[in-house]
């Protein structure tokens, strides 16, 4: 067996290593026979999806696509395989912030020898940028940015293989993750961080937080340090993000399970806790070794601590003294992002994906009404959580997660949301990642990034993962984007219609379903759609985190990238490519929409400065200072 260096693994790869799938089983033959006997529209795509999912209206005619060219104010670029960023002719990019850049004058910046001192590691821009949102406040431009996980060999260069060797090493890793809130301003040399701004703030794994909502105070959330079950420390593995109508930032805790381990592999747990550990992927050995130096992450000492992670956290970027709030009403799972909408009657609707193979898509609908300038406390906790069921005929329903539909009590539905979704009968999805809603139409989109286990193995809860409507390909290595339109154009409605906006693939290699949908061609090849945002004109911006080998099934795909699509014609073109080895993730705009801020996570080689690779946020502008898009 190949010797695997765990310090190089992403959270998803860590899960795969600890929860290996069988090499072969009965479904393997299904894959081969299905591909061999089915054509494109009449075959695998129609297997479980039907004409409603891939009908004539989905793909659009060639003439309609040609007419759409004027929607894109740039010439699409080709795939790239080098170590830098590329944007269209007439555009330019510059670095806004890199991991280790000081936010305050008294903070030392990045040090190639040791990654910088632990004492200042919570006063610099964090590592592995991800979701972000911009805010305008009393003439100030603020931006909140997630920092998902560490790159230990880079962050701890003096440690052996990046493995923490002390409590200080662990504290440094904890400090460089979480969230940065900072003020930025545009000057003659472009955008820059306003150092020492009173708004600048780092929120990390030890920042005090409140726990709110129906599960707050439940016995499963109580620890020795917090017997009330209402106070917590830190936010973990912050992936995607969201923004509320009242101007707060939502940061989403995704692969939190890997942060916990046990100093006693023989420790026993309450059966309810043990079942939760199994479903959420909590093992005796943690990903970053926190449990060796910080007892809070040692499940043999604090078995309830993992229940205090996996939530959506609300942060007020305008008040550096405010306490972040974990909202239990939005459920506990591997949150990718949070797309917030208002229903016709003013209720708050939040769409959320659970980023794991074979897990679910969720929606929360508040009981309370949002009124501009009014009280917002409780809006994200007092309501109903739903799981999506997609029918094969292109319709769907949001199924409420209640004691009646799950047989679970209200608090445990939220603490063990995955189990509740299984019992309610939701549709298993191909890793539901970012959800985006349109500001110009009553519709929403979700990136289903990939799922090599579709039709191969059930999910961690034993739920069926054979092909279904929005997930129509076995052993799905390319991913797709599903779109739905709520009944009566109201996001609070229980019913919806759905289709597939695009199925990524490679028509230069495959002639079957793995070629992708008709709006995929040699000029826009991509795989693993992940991040997504829809701008004020309705254009759909798609970011990828997939295979960048540029070989075999992925020949011609190049590095990870950002594309933009027309929701009407479904034309998709390439706007930006990132450096080798990176994920392109996180997207927001300046208040005047003349600058686009984009995250470059875990770049390879020596980007951006010719030395140690450092994750960064870049600012993209048109050279004529026109609107982006």
């Amino acid at each position: 067996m190949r010797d695997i260096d765990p310090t190089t693994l992403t959270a998803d790869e860590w899960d795969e290593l600890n929860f290996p799938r069988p090499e072969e089983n009965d479904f393997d033959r299904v894959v081969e026979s299905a591909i061999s006997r089915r054509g494109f529209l009449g075959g695998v795509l129609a297997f479980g999806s039907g004409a409603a999912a891939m009908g004539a209206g989905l793909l659009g005619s060639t003439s309609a696509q040609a007419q759409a060219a004027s929607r894109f104010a740039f010439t699409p670029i080709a795939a790239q395989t080098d170590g830098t960023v590329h944007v269209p002719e007439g555009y330019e990019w510059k670095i806004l912030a890199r991991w280790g850049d000081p936010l305050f004058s008294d903070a030392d910046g990045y040090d190639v020898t040791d990654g910088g001192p632990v004492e200042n590691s919570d006063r610099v821009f964090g590592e592995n940028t991800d979701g972000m949102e911009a805010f305008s406040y009393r003439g100030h431009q603020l931006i909140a940015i997630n920092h998902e996980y560490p790159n230990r060999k880079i962050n701890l260069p003096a440690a052996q293989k990046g493995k923490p060797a002390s409590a200080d090493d662990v504290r440094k890793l904890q400090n460089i993750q979480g969230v940065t809130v900072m003020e930025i301003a545009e000057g003659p040399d472009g955008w820059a961080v306003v150092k020492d701004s009173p708004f600048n703030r780092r929120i990390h794994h030890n920042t005090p937080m409140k726990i709110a909502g129906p599960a707050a105070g439940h016995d499963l959330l109580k620890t020795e340090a917090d017997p009330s079950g209402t106070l917590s420390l830190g936010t973990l593995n912050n992936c995607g993000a969201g923004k509320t109508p009242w101007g707060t930032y939502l940061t989403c805790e995704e692969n939190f399970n890997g942060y916990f381990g046990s100093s006693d592999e023989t420790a026993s747990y309450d059966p309810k806790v043990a079942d939760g550990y199994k479903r959420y992927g909590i093992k005796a050995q943690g990903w970053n070794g926190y449990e060796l130096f910080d007892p809070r992450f040692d499940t043999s000492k604090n078995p309830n601590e993992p229940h205090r992670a996996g939530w959506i956290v609300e942060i007020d970027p305008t008040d550096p003294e405010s306490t972040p709030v974990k909202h239990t009403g939005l459920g506990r799972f591997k949150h990718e992002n949070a797309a917030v909408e208002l229903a016709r009657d003013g209720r708050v609707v939040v769409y959320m994906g659970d980023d794991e193979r074979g897990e679910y898509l969720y929606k929360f609908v508040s009981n309370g009404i949002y009124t501009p300038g009014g009280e917002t406390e409780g809006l994200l906790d007092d309501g109903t959580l739903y799981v999506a069921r997609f029918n094969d005929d292109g319709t769907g329903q949001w199924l409420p997660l209640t004691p009646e539909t799950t047989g679970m009590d209200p608090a445990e539905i939220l603490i063990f949301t995955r189990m509740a979704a299984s019992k309610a009968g939701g549709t298993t999805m191909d890793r539901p990642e970012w959800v985006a809603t349109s500001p110009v139409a009553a519709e929403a989109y979700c990136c289903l990034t990939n799922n090599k286990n579709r039709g191969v193995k059930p999910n961690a809860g034993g739920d069926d993962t054979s092909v279904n409507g929005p997930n129509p390909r076995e052993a799905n290595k390319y991913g797709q984007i599903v779109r739905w339109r709520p009944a009566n154009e109201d996001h609070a409605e229980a019913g919806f219609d759905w289709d597939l906006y695009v199925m990524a693939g490679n028509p230069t290699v495959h002639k079957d379903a793995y070629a992708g949908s008709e709006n995929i061609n040699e000029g826009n090849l991509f795989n693993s759609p992940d991040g997504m945002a829809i701008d004020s004109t309705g254009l759909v911006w798609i970011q990828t985190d997939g295979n960048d080998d540029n070989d075999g099934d992925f020949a011609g795909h190049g590095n990870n990238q950002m594309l933009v699509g027309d929701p009407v014609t479904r034309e998709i073109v390439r706007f930006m490519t990132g450096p080798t080895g990176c994920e392109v993730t996180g997207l927001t705009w300046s208040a005047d929409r003349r600058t686009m801020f984009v995250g470059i996570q875990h770049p390879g080689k020596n980007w951006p400065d010719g030395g140690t690779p450092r994750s960064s946020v870049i600012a993209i502008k048109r050279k004529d200072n026109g609107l982006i898009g």
Side-chain angles (χ1 to χ4, degrees):
M1 179 177 177
R2 180 171 64 92
D3 187 27
I4 298 175
D5 178 3
T7 66
T8 65
L9 299 179
T10 66
D12 186 55
E13 291 166 342
W14 183 88
D15 268 352
E16 186 70 17
L17 178 65
N18 284 278
F19 299 93
R21 273 55 176 180
E23 292 295 324
E24 182 180 58
N25 64 29
D26 291 342
F27 276 104
D28 292 337
R29 290 180 291 277
V30 174
V31 176
E32 296 302 322
S33 62
I35 293 173
S36 66
R37 73 175 183 265
R38 298 186 180 103
F40 182 64
L41 288 177
V44 177
L45 295 184
F47 184 48
S49 60
M54 294 294 292
L58 176 87
L59 300 177
S61 68
T62 302
S63 60
Q65 292 179 3
Q67 293 170 5
S70 62
R71 287 217 65 185
F72 305 120
F74 62 91
T75 300
I77 67 173
Q80 303 291 334
T81 59
D82 61 8
T84 190
V85 171
H86 292 269
V87 293
E89 183 179 355
Y91 288 73
E92 61 185 1
W93 66 273
K94 294 183 178 180
I95 296 291
L96 172 68
R98 304 159 299 181
W99 167 59
D101 285 350
L103 302 175
F104 303 93
S105 297
D106 62 354
D108 297 319
Y110 175 77
D111 185 330
V112 69
T113 61
D114 65 2
V118 65
E119 293 80 14
N120 290 328
S121 55
D122 61 349
R123 296 176 68 75
V124 301
F125 188 73
E127 175 64 292
N128 271 338
T129 63
D130 208 304
M132 63 182 82
E133 294 286 352
F135 302 83
S136 294
Y137 179 70
R138 297 180 179 176
H140 299 272
Q141 180 78 65
L142 312 179
I143 190 168
I145 301 173
N146 288 348
H147 303 290
E148 187 176 12
Y149 62 92
N151 292 318
R152 297 202 307 269
K153 283 188 175 181
I154 295 172
N155 309 140
L156 301 174
Q160 184 177 7
K161 291 186 176 182
K163 183 178 180 180
S166 66
D168 277 353
D169 283 350
V170 168
R171 178 57 62 93
K172 183 183 291 187
L173 294 181
Q174 292 174 338
N175 284 350
I176 64 176
Q177 299 173 73
V179 177
T180 291
V181 179
M182 63 189 185
E183 182 177 1
I184 58 176
E186 189 174 21
D189 296 325
W191 287 89
V193 177
V194 179
K195 198 178 291 186
D196 298 318
S197 166
F199 298 104
N200 292 356
R201 181 184 187 189
R202 282 300 320 285
I203 296 163
H204 47 72
H205 290 184
N206 291 289
T207 301
M209 302 195 170
K210 300 175 184 177
I211 301 175
H218 192 278
D219 286 346
L220 287 168
L221 296 185
K222 295 177 181 178
T223 65
E224 184 177 350
D226 172 31
S228 72
T230 61
L231 302 172
S232 179
L233 287 179
T235 179
L236 310 178
N237 206 259
N238 303 86
C239 188
K243 186 177 185 178
T244 67
W246 49 94
T248 56
Y249 182 66
L250 301 179
T251 184
C252 302
E253 299 181 331
E254 190 194 27
N255 291 298
F256 64 89
N257 57 306
Y259 291 85
F260 298 93
S262 174
S263 61
D264 180 4
E265 295 192 12
T266 66
S268 60
Y269 302 93
D270 177 273
K272 190 174 294 184
V273 172
D275 288 346
Y277 282 7
K278 181 179 179 182
R279 182 66 185 270
Y280 285 85
I282 294 162
K283 299 283 289 183
Q285 183 175 357
W287 178 27
N288 290 313
Y290 280 13
E291 71 276 12
L292 303 177
F293 301 99
D294 187 340
R296 179 158 66 99
F297 295 88
D298 186 341
T299 57
S300 68
K301 296 181 172 66
N302 289 288
N304 281 345
E305 192 66 36
H307 302 150
R308 295 149 67 87
W311 305 100
I312 287 180
V313 183
E314 184 179 16
I315 298 168
D316 184 351
T318 69
D319 182 3
E321 300 302 319
S322 61
T323 301
V325 180
K326 294 196 172 191
H327 289 289
T328 63
L330 300 178
R332 175 176 167 266
F333 45 88
K334 291 185 178 181
H335 286 278
E336 180 71 16
N337 83 316
V340 184
E341 276 289 340
L342 291 178
R344 281 187 174 179
D345 61 4
R347 285 180 292 165
V348 180
V349 178
V350 186
Y351 291 112
M352 302 163 286
D354 184 356
D355 183 11
E356 189 165 306
R357 299 180 186 98
E359 290 298 339
Y360 298 98
L361 181 65
Y362 297 91
K363 179 178 79 169
F364 168 86
V365 181
S366 70
N367 289 329
I369 303 297
Y370 167 66
T371 303
E375 179 59 56
T376 60
E377 186 175 356
L379 284 180
L380 296 180
D381 285 308
D382 179 18
T384 302
L385 191 62
Y386 298 81
V387 66
R389 174 184 285 167
F390 291 81
N391 302 319
D392 291 347
D393 63 359
T395 64
Q397 297 85 36
W398 291 100
L399 309 176
L401 301 182
T402 66
E404 292 73 26
T405 63
T406 66
M408 301 167 66
D409 74 45
E412 291 181 5
I413 288 171
L414 301 174
I415 297 169
F416 301 122
T417 306
R418 285 183 169 179
M419 286 88 130
S422 295
K423 292 181 179 182
T427 298
T428 59
M429 308 294 280
D430 286 348
R431 288 186 58 192
E433 300 217 33
W434 291 63
V435 179
T437 56
S438 173
V440 300
E443 59 186 28
Y445 299 69
C446 181
C447 288
L448 304 174
T449 193
N450 58 52
N451 186 359
K452 68 180 182 181
N453 295 324
R454 173 64 60 183
V456 176
K457 182 180 176 63
N459 69 8
D463 302 328
D464 179 31
T465 61
S466 55
V467 294
N468 57 46
N471 308 276
R473 292 179 293 188
E474 296 99 339
N476 176 19
K477 64 184 69 176
Y478 293 119
Q480 63 267 6
I481 297 176
V482 65
R483 169 172 60 181
W484 63 93
R485 298 182 176 92
N488 300 316
E489 299 187 341
D490 186 349
H491 288 284
E493 289 279 356
F496 60 89
D497 294 320
W498 67 270
D499 65 12
L500 290 175
Y501 174 66
V502 62
M503 295 186 69
N506 197 332
T508 70
V509 175
H510 298 286
K511 302 303 178 186
D512 54 20
Y514 299 93
S517 50
E518 196 172 291
N519 50 348
I520 294 297
N521 55 66
E522 191 171 359
N524 68 0
L525 298 177
F526 69 94
N527 69 89
S528 298
D530 186 332
M532 184 165 47
I534 303 177
D535 68 24
S536 59
T537 72
L539 291 179
V540 182
W541 296 83
I542 303 163
Q543 299 175 316
T544 69
D545 176 24
N547 189 302
D548 62 357
D549 290 343
N550 200 43
D551 190 29
D553 285 331
F554 303 98
H557 285 222
N559 294 346
N560 280 301
Q561 58 193 282
M562 184 162 69
L563 309 101
V564 59
D566 186 320
V568 177
T569 67
R570 291 175 172 81
E571 182 187 18
I572 296 173
V573 296
R574 186 180 294 108
F575 176 80
M576 188 207 86
T577 59
T580 303
C582 84
E583 170 187 353
V584 179
T585 181
L587 171 63
T588 191
W589 287 266
S590 60
D592 62 6
R593 213 168 71 81
R594 298 180 190 277
T595 304
M596 172 186 284
F597 301 103
V598 179
I600 303 295
Q601 189 184 98
H602 58 73
K605 295 187 177 178
N606 54 7
W607 188 88
D609 302 318
T612 301
R614 296 162 69 183
S615 62
S616 305
V617 171
I618 62 174
I620 301 175
K621 289 181 66 70
R622 281 175 52 165
K623 292 180 179 179
D624 64 2
N625 203 34
L627 299 177
I628 296 284

